[in-house]
Amino acid sequence: MMRPAVAVLLLTAGTAFAEPPALLPGTKPLTAEGDLSRKMLDGAHRFAERAIERSVQSRAKLWNRDPSSRAAYERSVQANRERFQKMIGVVDRRVPAAMERFGDDDNPALVAETGSFRVYQVRWPVLDGVRGEGLLLEPTGPVLGHVVALPDADQLSEQIAGLRPGVPPVSQFARRLAANGFRVIVPTPVSRGIDFSGHPHIALTNQPHREWIYRQAYHMGRHVIGYEVQVALAAVDWLRSRAGADARVGVAGYGEGGLVAFYAAAADTRIDAVLVTGYFDSRQRVWEEPIYRNVWGLLSEFGDAEIATLIAPRGLVVEYSVGPQVAGPPAVPKGRRGGAAVGRLGTPGLESVLGEWKRLDEILPAGFQSRTLIRDGDGPVQDFGGRAAVREFAGILGVKGALELPAELPADRRKTFDPAERQRRRVRELEGHVQQLIQAGDVTRRAFLRDKTTLIRTLAPRGERPADVFAREVAPFRKVLEEDVIGRIDDPVLPANPRSRVVYDNPKWTGYEVVLDVYPDVFAWGVLLVPKGIKPGEKRPVVVCQHGRNGLPKDVIEGDVPAYHDFAAKLAERGFVTFAPHNLYRGEDLYRMLNRKGNPVKLTMFSFITAQHRQILSWLGTLPFVDDKRIAFYGLSYGGETAVRVPALVDGYGLSICSGDFNDWARKVAATDSDYSFMYTIEWEMPYFNMGSMFNYAELAYLIAPRPFMVERGHHDGVAPDEWVSAEYAKVRWAYANLGLAGRTEIEFFNGGHTINGRGTFDFLHRYLNWPKTEQGR
């Protein structure tokens, strides 16, 4: 039974374990009470919140603005712009510009006509397999300017063009612009509806369409925001090709459309002016917004003020208006699966908006950029896209005047037009693009890593071991994994200040609960099992035994939890020292929100876990009965996920065993053609930005090589099918064999499920930790 310590007795290095001492060597008494797992998670949240708070000041070091001229300025921020484009997934080359007016007898291409403009239904190519679709509003008179007008995700293109009800006339800014001589393209946004989030033959979900695209795209280095920016920029491509280089082109948008317009103007200097309504604000609490607004590393370099400086010296109009209202994830209709991420939207306070606007003025004096903030006294403009904002925007584009809105409304001539079917096409085209990236992932990842190494033994330089050459070659990729995928905490690590207390007294071993400091508010916690009868001066190998999702250290020690079978205790009975650390993935959305908070400052939950394990290894090495050259990692499920991430980054683990997790990770996270995929579950934290284009489990194993690596796989484990596991592991086996290390890697299949099997893996530990099976080691 787990019990508190009742005595305090310091142990010296030469003391044998005849009687269990109350404290481990070099530790102080542990007195903490309560739920340490929750305290650990709460502390990590506070750390992430402080990192977000510090980001405002730390961004300055990434900028070197030169406002001496427009050309000099744009050169000075070009590196920032390129990083921004990558963050939002604007990385694919667009196809040549074109614009197709399409229709049939029931739904003609000419949708409507007024005395001042005509409306066409149009589509245009963006990327391979991806088109924009929406409306083109052509003035009947001279074209005075060109605009891409972007509605919010809960609006139809037709609503801001006056073709459908739902938006008050004053907010029909696409109609107002067209009626006053602007050629206007109105793309259809990816909506917040749920109709097409999933597939009926697998499952339908309650994820908004934007989240459905985000979750699969993010893992492959794309983003629903980036796709919509590409759609807008493809429209700009066409407008430029039609009107010439001297034409004035602007983008304008509300809500989610305001975000896209803002980001498009920051990404592309060909846009002369932007109107943003219902979006501009401080982003310091972006983690509270819907997950489809999550951008990896955004706050490390960009708040809205910094993004506005990417637009300078071009014109910016911000209208502080009542924004879209999102109370949380959609309800789960009968027959659908839940699992949509938490997040909400509302109208920010004026103080927050003014604070960000003031920061913009401090960063870049207003004289260098034509910019205007429009509000209604001390509150927001009630009807977005109002006349004052549109007039200011049009003026930057060279069109002056009142921009009155004619009374005549356009009448839709289409008889059977179905906006839901158009939305289906939008969702499926973007999904198709991502799924092609996943299917091509093996080739992409191979070009990224494996093809840059001399994996074949015969190619190693004479006199060098192939494994040594390979380890040197993959070292830069380890840095990429830690900095660009997992996220590295650069804060100074605290002294461990180890504390311990006895919590188990077993006939064969003693269990100590241990707490180590890592960073302010961040600590490591676990239970160390020390076999009895260790002789003075003897050093034993250690197996770090990692629980899975929602687990606790005790789960791998006691109670014969079906998944774990007390494997930490059984290994201690064989004479291994074992340590069962707690990892942060407990508490469902509580731990998922840690990822959500961390992502904007380039942190993830594994940023903390990696730092904790580094501290654990450092401390284990101080124990007199531990051989720090013989420390292994063995984890199940989320612990198996840890087994291919932490040892890939932390050299102190001399061996790793991944149980109940190893598979084709890109498919597991982002594929939509399989019920094995996280796309159909509650695990919305699983996508890590661009990981699928760089690292699958084979590549992570390459970073572990030449250290021994093993996979434990139950045939009936629901994590993935055998064929995914086998195909991915074959790449690992190939690499080890070509390094002359075929014996250092194994996979054990067994006729079971999501569980520790503890047979071949135990043999693997004995062999590579050099611990005999005789006596205690049976």
Side-chain angles (χ1 to χ4, degrees), residues 601-612:
V601 287
K602 293 189 76 171
L603 296 177
T604 67
M605 180 173 60
F606 272 102
S607 306
F608 295 91
I609 291 172
T610 301
Q612 289 168 322

Side-chain angles (χ1 to χ4, degrees), residues 376-596:
D376 186 1
D378 291 332
V381 174
Q382 292 300 306
D383 294 322
F384 68 88
R387 183 168 63 180
V390 176
R391 184 174 61 237
E392 192 74 27
F393 170 66
I396 298 173
L397 294 174
V399 178
K400 309 294 183 180
L403 269 72
E404 298 294 344
L405 189 66
E408 183 185 10
L409 280 170
D412 198 329
R413 298 173 179 176
R414 295 171 294 184
K415 298 176 183 177
T416 61
F417 169 68
D418 182 2
E421 175 58 22
R422 182 176 63 188
Q423 184 66 207
R424 185 195 67 79
R425 290 193 295 269
R426 297 287 298 116
V427 172
R428 291 293 177 246
E429 284 181 7
L430 296 181
E431 180 179 340
H433 191 266
V434 179
Q435 296 306 304
Q436 287 180 352
L437 295 173
I438 295 170
Q439 292 165 14
D442 279 346
V443 174
T444 305
R445 291 185 294 270
R446 178 170 176 166
F448 169 73
L449 195 159
R450 203 179 95 177
D451 287 352
K452 294 182 174 68
T453 68
T454 51
L455 249 177
I456 308 299
R457 279 184 293 171
T458 56
L459 298 180
R462 182 173 297 179
E464 291 195 74
R465 295 193 316 159
D468 294 337
V469 175
F470 183 69
R472 185 171 65 246
E473 290 172 334
V474 300
F477 297 99
R478 188 173 289 115
K479 182 179 180 182
V480 172
L481 174 66
E482 183 157 23
E483 294 184 357
D484 297 338
V485 178
I486 300 297
R488 185 181 67 201
I489 298 173
D490 290 324
D491 294 45
V493 178
L494 296 174
N497 185 27
R499 287 89 78 197
S500 70
R501 63 187 169 205
V502 173
V503 290
Y504 295 101
D505 188 5
N506 182 278
K508 293 188 177 181
W509 45 263
T510 304
Y512 295 86
E513 190 173 23
V514 179
V515 170
L516 310 171
D517 294 336
V518 183
Y519 302 113
D521 281 327
V522 178
F523 62 90
W525 164 56
V527 176
L528 185 76
L529 304 187
V530 183
K532 293 182 176 179
I534 296 179
K535 298 174 183 178
E538 182 183 3
K539 291 184 179 290
R540 294 281 181 94
V542 181
V543 183
V544 173
C545 301
Q546 190 64 65
H547 66 76
R549 172 180 152 206
N550 283 323
L552 290 167
K554 69 181 182 64
D555 294 339
V556 303
I557 298 170
E558 62 169 296
D560 196 23
V561 176
Y564 302 110
H565 302 302
D566 302 346
F567 77 106
K570 288 177 180 175
L571 286 166
E573 291 171 2
R574 289 171 173 246
F576 295 98
V577 176
T578 64
F579 186 66
H582 182 70
N583 273 2
L584 285 158
Y585 36 73
R586 178 176 170 81
E588 297 300 2
D589 280 353
L590 286 173
Y591 76 76
R592 295 191 176 99
M593 281 305 296
L594 180 59
N595 251 21
R596 185 72 180 84

